Amino acid sequence: MTQIDEVFVSPATGRPLTKRGEATRRRILEAAEDVFADLGYHEASIVKVTERAGVALGTFYLYFDSKQAIFEALVIDLNARVRQSMTESMAGATTRLEAERGGFEGFFRFTAEHPALYRVVREAEFVSPATMRLHYERIVDGYAAGLRAAQSEGDIDPRLDPEVAAWALMGMGELIGMRFLLWEQDSEGAKPTRIEPGVFDAMMLFIANALGSNEQRKGEAS
Amino acid sequence: MTQIDEVFVSPATGRPLTKRGEATRRRILEAAEDVFADLGYHEASIVKVTERAGVALGTFYLYFDSKQAIFEALVIDLNARVRQSMTESMAGATTRLEAERGGFEGFFRFTAEHPALYRVVREAEFVSPATMRLHYERIVDGYAAGLRAAQSEGDIDPRLDPEVAAWALMGMGELIGMRFLLWEQDSEGAKPTRIEPGVFDAMMLFIANALGSNEQRKGEAS
């Protein structure tokens, strides 16, 4: 499922990329992340991406057809990486609530390190609506499956609709990340690297309530 | 608080608008809503707005200084109107859960009638970040106050942080509206006028759980 396992093919040669080709593709994508985040889609250009990546213009076209193509590849790549960050942070969780905590930690950590995520996804609504949908749907698919599994294990409220709950939780994370991470800065203008623990805990209480998790119900009974 | 009660001043004359002036201002704003929604900020122009509104270019400048100024006025205006739609739908609610149901009905009804809302707010991130913040903050302020009042009446979980809960609920509504209203269409491409009742009820169950409302707890005890 993740980008990491995919085989990339050069649009110019039609052949799978070598290890070295994959490294160059990654370098171009990382430059594109900076350029699109700094300038926005309209002001960004292929030349600015190749200058930032330190590759020749001809090299770019071995990997991507157009500005639109690299923008779409960047959305897909950020999506794969944010999901990987969430999955890694969820490893070892023994309850759905622990998995939620881990997943949101992974999401916010990635967001703090890659503020381009929000900007690029929002511009995708105008530049490539289908790619924006793909971004959300790929997150929801895994999320709903996790909630469904927790329901069948009796770990969360069986009456919840897993898909609606997944959209609700994703929207919640998106705006809380925007407000309490991207909008925050200290008196010198520095951005925080994580959400203030009190806010995170308040969010987790909201989620525990919403999911009607066993942990939460035990807590109330005790 | 709402735009409706505000007194508008002409940037050209510095004087408050007459009733007729306010009607013209409204006509220009409605044209701008269509133009910005159809074309996006970059492709939109003052000339296209005045053509759509059927007013002379000179008339435009009696009300707005620039393309940026009318875009910002449109965000503020849509914000005031979506809040009014929510407030109207909440009238008569006797519990917080009824108020939530009414508020979300009002939000989704306005969204179905004004798909420009989402597009314009998302473009505002690039065109005028301060106006985008204002949009969210004005919704959250009223929302958090409502939750705080419900807490002091013992109607919802007293442990919740009202501000964090308000951001969570707003994010939830935003993505559920996007997925189940704006993305939906029937086989002829027609957009629905409201969210499918099963999805709406699933969202309300999630909210009732999250808020730990009295109604919800009574329902579980019975």
Side-chain angles (χ1 to χ4, degrees):
Chain A
M1 269 291 282
T2 63
Q3 188 82 353
I4 282 73
D5 303 325
E6 272 179 48
V7 174
F8 296 106
V9 170
S10 166
T13 66
R15 287 203 300 260
L17 299 184
T18 60
K19 278 254 179 261
R20 203 173 141 213
E22 279 192 24
T24 307
R25 184 181 186 279
R26 159 92 6 236
R27 187 140 58 100
I28 297 172
L29 273 177
E30 281 172 10
E33 181 179 334
D34 293 341
V35 170
F36 284 119
D38 290 353
L39 302 178
Y41 187 78
H42 286 275
E43 299 296 318
S45 67
I46 291 174
V47 167
K48 282 172 183 154
V49 171
T50 55
E51 278 172 2
R52 181 97 58 139
V55 304
L57 194 57
T59 305
F60 177 91
Y61 287 102
L62 293 175
Y63 300 94
F64 304 101
D65 279 334
S66 61
K67 183 167 109 171
Q68 167 108 9
I70 190 169
F71 180 84
E72 291 176 355
L74 176 61
V75 175
I76 300 290
D77 184 64
L78 285 169
N79 174 268
R81 287 157 72 206
V82 72
R83 285 187 292 123
Q84 193 178 38
S85 176
M86 292 165 74
T87 304
E88 282 169 8
S89 290
M90 289 163 81
T94 57
T95 65
R96 185 63 213 175
L97 205 56
E98 282 176 27
E100 291 292 333
R101 175 174 282 275
F104 276 98
E105 280 169 355
F107 174 71
F108 293 138
R109 188 173 54 242
F110 189 87
T111 299
E113 286 164 7
H114 301 273
L117 177 68
Y118 273 60
R119 182 164 185 149
V120 166
V121 169
R122 286 181 176 214
E123 277 215 284
E125 172 156 9
F126 308 102
V127 176
S128 176
T131 311
M132 184 194 68
R133 285 194 189 202
L134 203 62
H135 164 72
Y136 283 116
E137 284 168 351
R138 283 188 176 178
I139 294 179
V140 160
D141 284 350
Y143 213 143
L147 294 175
R148 213 170 282 122
Q151 284 181 314
S152 68
E153 286 159 22
D155 193 20
I156 62 169
D157 189 338
R159 300 166 306 166
L160 290 170
D161 179 310
E163 199 193 341
V164 172
W167 283 97
L169 290 161
M170 190 167 60
M172 207 196 67
E174 185 167 313
L175 279 205
I176 287 182
M178 180 182 82
R179 168 62 188 83
F180 295 103
L181 200 53
L182 299 183
W183 288 7
E184 291 288 346
Q185 50 183 34
D186 67 19
S187 54
E188 267 128 54
K191 299 275 181 196
T193 56
R194 63 189 196 125
I195 284 189
E196 203 253 295
V199 171
F200 191 88
D201 289 344
M203 185 193 76
M204 286 309 303
L205 171 64
F206 185 94
I207 295 175
N209 277 357
L211 295 183
S213 76
N214 263 332
E215 268 178 81
Q216 178 72 356
R217 275 172 283 165
K218 277 181 206 150
E220 280 175 6
S222 70
Chain B
M1 271 289 281
T2 64
Q3 187 83 353
I4 282 73
D5 303 324
E6 273 179 48
V7 173
F8 296 105
V9 170
S10 165
T13 66
R15 287 204 300 262
L17 299 184
T18 60
K19 278 254 179 263
R20 206 175 138 209
E22 280 191 25
T24 307
R25 184 181 186 278
R26 159 93 7 236
R27 187 139 59 99
I28 297 171
L29 273 177
E30 281 171 11
E33 181 180 333
D34 293 341
V35 170
F36 284 119
D38 289 353
L39 303 178
Y41 187 79
H42 285 275
E43 298 296 318
S45 67
I46 292 175
V47 167
K48 281 172 184 155
V49 170
T50 55
E51 277 172 3
R52 180 97 57 139
V55 303
L57 195 58
T59 306
F60 177 92
Y61 288 101
L62 293 175
Y63 301 94
F64 305 100
D65 280 333
S66 61
K67 182 167 112 172
Q68 168 109 9
I70 190 168
F71 180 84
E72 291 176 356
L74 176 61
V75 175
I76 301 290
D77 183 64
L78 285 169
N79 174 268
R81 287 157 72 206
V82 73
R83 285 187 293 123
Q84 193 178 38
S85 177
M86 292 165 74
T87 304
E88 283 171 7
S89 290
M90 288 164 81
T94 57
T95 66
R96 184 63 213 175
L97 205 56
E98 282 176 26
E100 291 294 333
R101 174 175 281 276
F104 276 97
E105 280 170 355
F107 173 71
F108 292 137
R109 188 172 53 242
F110 188 87
T111 298
E113 286 164 7
H114 301 272
L117 177 68
Y118 274 59
R119 182 164 185 148
V120 166
V121 169
R122 286 181 177 214
E123 277 215 281
E125 173 156 9
F126 309 102
V127 176
S128 175
T131 312
M132 185 193 66
R133 285 194 189 202
L134 203 64
H135 164 72
Y136 284 116
E137 284 167 351
R138 284 188 175 177
I139 294 179
V140 159
D141 284 350
Y143 212 143
L147 294 175
R148 212 170 281 121
Q151 283 180 315
S152 67
E153 287 160 20
D155 193 20
I156 62 170
D157 189 337
R159 302 166 304 166
L160 289 171
D161 179 310
E163 199 194 340
V164 172
W167 283 98
L169 289 161
M170 191 167 60
M172 205 196 67
E174 187 168 310
L175 278 206
I176 287 182
M178 179 181 82
R179 169 61 188 84
F180 295 103
L181 201 54
L182 299 182
W183 288 8
E184 290 288 346
Q185 50 183 35
D186 66 20
S187 53
E188 267 127 54
K191 298 276 182 195
T193 57
R194 63 189 196 126
I195 284 189
E196 203 254 294
V199 171
F200 191 87
D201 289 343
M203 184 193 76
M204 287 309 303
L205 170 64
F206 185 95
I207 295 175
N209 277 357
L211 296 183
S213 76
N214 263 332
E215 267 178 82
Q216 179 72 355
R217 276 172 282 166
K218 275 181 206 151
E220 279 174 5
S222 69

